Amino acid sequence: MTQQQQHQARLAFIGGGNMAEAILGGLLACGYPLSQCVVSEPIQARCEFLQTKYPGLQTLSGSQANQLAVNGSQSSSHTSELINDGSIHVNATAASTHFPPAEVVILAVKPQVLRAVVEDLAAVLRSRQPLVISIAAGIETSAIARFMAEGASSDLQSKDLPPVIRVMPNTPALVLEGAAGMYATAEATAEHRRVAESLMGAVSKQVSWVESESLVDTVTGISGSGPAYFFLMMEAMENAGVALGMDRETAKALTIQTCLGAAKMAQLSDDDLKTLRLKVTSPQGTTDAAIKAFEAGGFCELVEKGVIAADARSRTLAKELGGSKL
Ligand SMILES: O=C(O)[C@@H]1CCC=N1
C-alpha cells in the first residue's frame, strides 16, 4: 500500500537529533505529510535548524514541549497561554497553535535521558495510548514499561500501558536506504506492527522483525552501528589512496562508488558473499595480495570483535540505564 492510500498517523518525535531527523527527513522525502509531524526538541538552535531545513515543520521546545507533542492542544488559547508563560516555544512557521494528539510517539532521545522523558510522559502516554516506538539504543521494552508504570499514578493498572515497539534503525534512513531491526511487545497488535513497519519501511530498504528482544542488541551491532564501520573502512581506503599519491577527491569518489557497487552486487547476485569475493580475487593477483595483508592483520576477527563490542555495549546500556528490576 502506498503512503497516499493509508491513514497517515500523527507523529510526535520526542527528540530531534540526527536519528530523528533521518527518519523524519526520509518520511518527508517519500511524501509523508509535514502537517502530521511534530518534533519536540529542547535545544532551540536545533529546532531552528530543523525549521530551516523542513519549512513549516512544527517544532516545540521548552518545559512542557514533550507533553504538548503527545497530548496535543485542542485549544489555541491554551497553547498561547503556555507560550506567553515563556514555558514553551513553538516555531513561528507552524500554521497554527492547534496540536492534535499523537497516534505514534517516537522516542528518539539519548538512552541516558530516556527514563526521565518517559517518566514525565507516563500519565499522558497511559491515558492517550499511542503506539510508542523507541529507537533508544540498549533500553529494553520492559524498562520502558517500568518507567511508564513508575511515572504514572499507581491506580492505573498495568493493562493501561501503551504498546511499545523497539526499533534499531540506522542513519542511511535519511537517504531512504536504512536497515532496521524491530521487536514488538505482547501489547502490540498486528495493526501496530503494520504501522511501525510502514513508518520504518518508508525510510529503510530492509526491515527485519526479531522474535527475541536480545537480538535487537545484535541488530545494533550489525546495522545500527554498521554505517560507521563502512565509513571507517572508506576513510582508510581514501587515506591509503592519498598516501600513494592520489588526490583526495579522486580517492574518495573511487572508494564510495566501489562501496556502493559492491553492496549492489551483493544485493542483486545469487552468489554468497564469499563467492563474490573470490570472483574478484585472481590467484596471486592484486586482490589476493590485499586480502592476505588484511588476513595477516586479523581483519575478520577484528570485525567480529567490533560487532560483538557494539552488541555487548547495547546490553550494558540496558543494565546501566534500565536497571535490572524487570
Ligand atoms: O552509537 C550508538 O550508541 C548508536 C546506536 C546505534 C548507532 N548509534
Side-chain angles (χ1 to χ4, degrees):
M1 200 184 291
T2 67
Q3 293 286 338
Q4 276 69 32
Q5 288 170 304
Q6 56 191 244
H7 166 69
Q8 288 160 315
R10 169 81 177 170
L11 309 180
F13 288 85
I14 307 300
N18 288 335
M19 200 58 239
E21 190 196 342
I23 297 171
L24 173 72
L27 282 168
L28 297 177
C30 64
Y32 207 89
L34 188 75
S35 57
Q36 284 295 77
C37 305
V38 62
V39 178
S40 175
E41 161 57 46
I43 301 170
Q44 242 333 90
R46 178 72 186 162
C47 287
E48 281 157 22
F49 167 82
L50 290 171
Q51 288 155 26
T52 308
K53 195 155 173 192
Y54 308 101
L57 175 70
Q58 283 180 333
T59 64
L60 303 171
S61 196
S63 61
Q64 297 179 62
N66 289 351
Q67 299 274 346
L68 193 56
V70 176
N71 212 11
S73 169
Q74 300 311 312
S75 114
S76 55
S77 65
H78 172 61
T79 317
S80 305
E81 276 166 31
L82 287 170
I83 297 164
N84 291 337
D85 209 10
S87 62
I88 195 151
H89 310 278
V90 184
N91 70 295
T93 51
S96 82
T97 49
H98 167 89
F99 301 104
E103 293 155 278
V104 179
V105 174
I106 301 172
L107 298 171
V109 296
K110 295 215 177 309
Q112 288 78 1
V113 298
L114 187 75
R115 178 182 203 134
V117 164
V118 174
E119 285 183 357
D120 175 55
L121 285 174
V124 63
L125 288 174
R126 291 178 66 171
S127 65
R128 287 276 176 207
Q129 294 285 309
L131 168 62
V132 176
I133 296 179
S134 168
I135 64 166
I139 310 297
E140 290 169 325
T141 52
S142 59
I144 295 171
R146 181 157 47 79
F147 302 158
M148 286 193 281
E150 287 175 356
S153 66
S154 55
D155 54 335
L156 290 171
Q157 298 302 305
S158 65
K159 66 176 165 51
D160 296 316
L161 293 178
V164 180
I165 291 184
R166 185 175 157 198
V167 177
M168 178 42 64
N170 68 6
T171 52
L174 188 56
V175 291
L176 312 183
E177 290 283 349
M182 316 213 282
Y183 172 79
T185 56
E187 290 83 17
T189 62
E191 176 61 9
H192 293 132
R193 283 174 169 253
R194 191 199 61 72
V195 169
E197 213 174 298
S198 150
L199 289 172
M200 297 315 300
V203 296
S204 308
K205 289 273 166 68
Q206 178 64 41
V207 176
S208 302
W209 287 101
V210 291
E211 290 313 316
S212 135
E213 186 163 1
S214 81
L215 283 175
V216 178
D217 301 305
T218 310
V219 169
T220 309
I222 295 176
S223 54
S225 298
Y229 314 160
F230 288 101
F231 293 138
L232 183 67
M233 177 79 181
M234 289 194 283
E235 265 178 80
M237 286 173 68
E238 179 191 311
N239 288 338
V242 171
L244 288 165
M246 187 177 272
D247 69 275
R248 188 165 290 282
E249 206 183 327
T250 306
K252 183 180 175 187
L254 290 172
T255 298
I256 291 172
Q257 184 50 44
T258 302
C259 186
L260 269 172
K264 197 155 205 168
M265 273 182 81
Q267 195 170 48
L268 298 179
S269 173
D270 290 333
D271 289 336
D272 61 27
L273 296 172
K274 183 175 177 181
T275 305
L276 285 170
R277 170 168 60 82
L278 292 174
K279 282 185 175 173
V280 191
T281 313
S282 321
Q284 316 300 322
T286 62
T287 316
D288 188 44
I291 301 279
K292 280 185 176 136
F294 286 148
E295 282 175 348
F299 183 81
C300 292
E301 293 78 7
L302 206 55
V303 171
E304 189 178 335
K305 266 191 196 166
V307 172
I308 291 171
D311 172 288
R313 180 63 189 140
S314 181
R315 290 168 206 274
T316 318
L317 275 175
K319 289 201 184 75
E320 279 176 16
L321 306 168
S324 53
K325 273 202 238 167
L326 289 178

